[in-house]
Amino acid sequence: MENNYNYNNNNNNNLNNISIEIFSPQKRLPLKHTISQTTSINNGNKIKKESNLKSENEDDNNKDMVMLNADDIKEEGYNEDNELFQSKRLVIPGQTISREGEYLKGHGTFNDGSGSLVASVCGTLDKVDRLISVKALKSRYHGEVGDIVVGRITEITSKRWKVDVNSRLDYILMLSAINLPGGIQRRRTSADELQMRSFFVENDLVYAEVQMVMGDGSVAIHTRNQKYGKLQNGHFTKVIPSLIKRSKQHFYNLECGVDVILGINGYIWIADSEQQRNQQQFIQKHEKEPNFDPSIPLIIPDEIKQVSKDSRDRIARVKNSISLLEKGFLLIHQKSIMNVYKLSLKMKLQSKDLLHPQYIKQILTVISTTDYDNNNNNENDNDEQMN
């Protein structure tokens, strides 16, 4: 008995608190596991495991510890007052969300044999009244009215274009939902229908907004605003849609001289700011000419389409900064892109070296552990961490 008791004590000394950090697109969720082991001489060895889920409250600075017994999760579930529903919490497949009849089943959930609501995918919880759903971290884009998207024309049909926006179905761009050349406001005629290829053709990239979600699941988009329309002479890339941070604005003129359009659907457009400005001025000037004919496709001169070598390097650096953020599963927005961009310049890395495995790990470590501000007041601290 004494040998067994000493052996168990040695195991207790070796079992220390294990801290694991789970990174989600919304925020970092530190998950702390503590394992305690007790022995009983008469009844044999008995192991009791406890999981302490420690979370951060976004509204205040107080931190609350929520005690969850791993054996009682399936029986008791979570209460409405639990932090699980107070903030968007990361859940994993098989994790019990609520008891029988407490909430309604939504996307990403299912009812097990006992009637409890269980998560079927890895993602964040979304609660609307009594409806519980889990938004998967990696999934196809689901459009909502007002979303800013970047898409590619895939097909031209009667009075409409079909647009690929990284969704289950191609979205619909109606002839009546586009902005005619010169900003002309009038009803679309049969002549406009015959000239549809002068507006958009297959493989053209468009910058649009979600206008309507139909009952059958189809989605209509529009480009009626002057800021929307065809995208030309730039670079296109694709990321996971859940990594794009929703904001009031998705078109950014970065301080490095690069324009970026972050589509909520995960499609991103990158171009040189000066070239795009000259191109837009040329198009507007051409549309104001007296003999302007919208049926004749506009050919942009080579001197307008020309992009300098320095501009190409900046575009490549921005593109690789976005790819690096995707590899680290970090939110992609204006500040995060510029943080990686400036950090790569401080490290004196070439654009192609940003995606080297050694530098990816080093940059992600600095980005994840350092708080950046708009004025970059902590430049010296960042240099010390890199060294």
Side-chain angles (χ1 to χ4, degrees):
M1 289 297 181
E2 293 180 359
N3 293 334
N4 291 335
Y5 183 75
N6 293 331
Y7 174 75
N8 291 325
N9 284 337
N10 291 332
N11 287 340
N12 288 335
N13 294 331
N14 294 330
L15 291 174
N16 298 323
N17 292 343
I18 303 172
S19 295
I20 303 174
E21 286 194 354
I22 296 179
F23 296 94
S24 72
Q26 305 296 333
K27 61 180 180 179
R28 296 194 202 104
L29 302 176
L31 183 65
K32 184 178 179 183
H33 288 272
T34 63
I35 303 175
S36 62
Q37 191 174 37
T38 60
T39 60
S40 176
I41 298 177
N42 296 330
N43 299 328
N45 295 332
K46 182 180 180 181
I47 299 176
K48 182 179 180 181
K49 296 182 179 179
E50 295 180 351
S51 296
N52 297 337
L53 188 59
K54 183 179 179 182
S55 64
E56 296 177 356
N57 195 335
E58 295 178 345
D59 299 333
D60 49 43
N61 297 326
N62 298 329
K63 296 182 179 180
D64 299 325
M65 183 69 71
V66 181
M67 303 296 295
L68 298 175
N69 190 305
D71 297 330
D72 297 334
I73 286 179
K74 293 185 178 180
E75 297 179 2
E76 297 182 1
Y78 294 107
N79 295 326
E80 185 176 2
D81 297 333
N82 195 290
E83 285 190 49
L84 193 64
F85 298 108
Q86 294 176 2
S87 62
K88 289 190 176 181
R89 179 64 57 80
L90 182 70
V91 295
I92 60 176
Q95 182 174 348
T96 303
I97 299 175
S98 67
R99 293 191 296 265
E100 180 180 3
E102 190 174 356
Y103 292 100
L104 299 177
K105 180 181 68 173
H107 294 291
T109 62
F110 68 95
N111 292 321
D112 60 0
S114 61
S116 298
L117 197 62
V118 180
S120 61
V121 296
C122 180
T124 54
L125 276 180
D126 190 14
K127 176 175 176 289
V128 180
D129 294 333
R130 295 184 63 245
L131 179 65
I132 296 294
S133 60
V134 178
K135 185 178 180 181
L137 298 181
K138 291 185 178 181
S139 63
R140 286 280 188 173
Y141 166 70
H142 299 282
E144 299 178 5
V145 176
D147 285 355
I148 305 300
V149 297
V150 175
R152 185 183 296 274
I153 303 294
T154 58
E155 186 180 352
I156 302 177
T157 59
S158 176
K159 296 184 179 180
R160 69 191 64 191
W161 293 268
K162 290 186 177 181
V163 186
D164 169 33
V165 293
N166 196 24
S167 183
R168 296 183 299 106
L169 301 173
D170 287 344
Y171 284 11
I172 298 173
L173 176 61
M174 299 296 297
L175 177 61
S176 59
I178 68 170
N179 195 25
L180 294 176
I184 302 174
Q185 300 293 333
R186 60 174 175 80
R187 294 179 62 88
R188 309 304 187 263
T189 62
S190 58
D192 294 325
E193 186 176 357
L194 295 175
Q195 298 173 5
M196 287 181 60
R197 286 190 175 274
S198 63
F199 304 135
F200 301 112
V201 297
E202 290 87 348
N203 292 325
D204 276 352
L205 290 173
V206 294
Y207 176 36
E209 179 181 344
V210 176
Q211 179 183 17
M212 185 185 305
V213 180
M214 312 295 184
D216 58 354
S218 60
V219 180
I221 60 178
H222 76 90
T223 61
R224 288 199 186 97
N225 198 305
Q226 287 286 348
K227 63 182 180 180
Y228 303 139
K230 184 188 296 186
L231 299 174
Q232 303 179 72
N233 301 323
H235 180 81
F236 171 80
T237 186
K238 174 183 176 182
V239 298
I240 302 173
S242 59
L243 296 182
I244 302 296
K245 181 178 179 181
R246 289 181 176 269
S247 60
K248 296 181 180 179
Q249 183 180 356
H250 284 266
F251 176 87
Y252 299 104
N253 191 314
L254 302 181
E255 54 189 272
C256 60
V258 176
D259 289 344
V260 176
I261 300 177
L262 301 177
I264 300 180
N265 58 328
Y267 286 174
I268 298 176
W269 172 258
I270 309 171
D272 179 55
S273 300
E274 183 178 358
Q275 189 276 330
Q276 292 290 305
R277 186 164 50 251
N278 295 335
Q279 178 178 285
Q280 188 64 26
Q281 292 175 358
F282 177 82
I283 294 174
Q284 292 177 356
K285 181 180 178 180
H286 176 74
E287 292 176 350
K288 292 180 181 179
E289 294 180 355
N291 57 350
F292 169 68
D293 186 359
S295 62
I296 301 176
L298 176 62
I299 300 176
I300 300 176
D302 292 338
E303 57 269 17
I304 300 295
K305 296 191 293 183
Q306 186 67 30
V307 180
S308 64
K309 183 178 179 180
D310 292 339
S311 298
R312 292 176 184 272
D313 182 73
R314 292 195 298 268
I315 292 174
R317 190 177 295 272
V318 170
K319 187 270 177 186
N320 289 343
S321 299
I322 294 173
S323 299
L324 188 143
L325 290 170
E326 183 188 18
K327 290 181 181 294
F329 213 74
L330 299 177
L331 281 178
I332 299 174
H333 51 89
Q334 180 185 11
K335 290 183 179 179
S336 63
I337 295 173
M338 288 308 302
N339 288 341
V340 178
Y341 185 95
K342 294 178 180 178
L343 189 58
S344 66
L345 293 177
K346 293 177 185 177
M347 299 174 65
K348 298 181 180 180
L349 298 177
Q350 296 184 3
S351 302
K352 62 180 181 179
D353 295 333
L354 267 173
L355 298 182
H356 191 279
Q358 177 184 355
Y359 298 123
I360 288 178
K361 183 177 180 181
Q362 187 176 1
I363 293 175
L364 288 177
T365 301
V366 176
I367 294 295
S368 301
T369 57
T370 306
D371 292 331
Y372 286 88
D373 52 24
N374 296 331
N375 298 323
N376 293 325
N377 294 327
N378 299 329
E379 292 181 0
N380 296 331
D381 295 338
N382 296 341
D383 293 336
E384 291 177 3
Q385 292 186 20
M386 288 185 293
N387 296 331

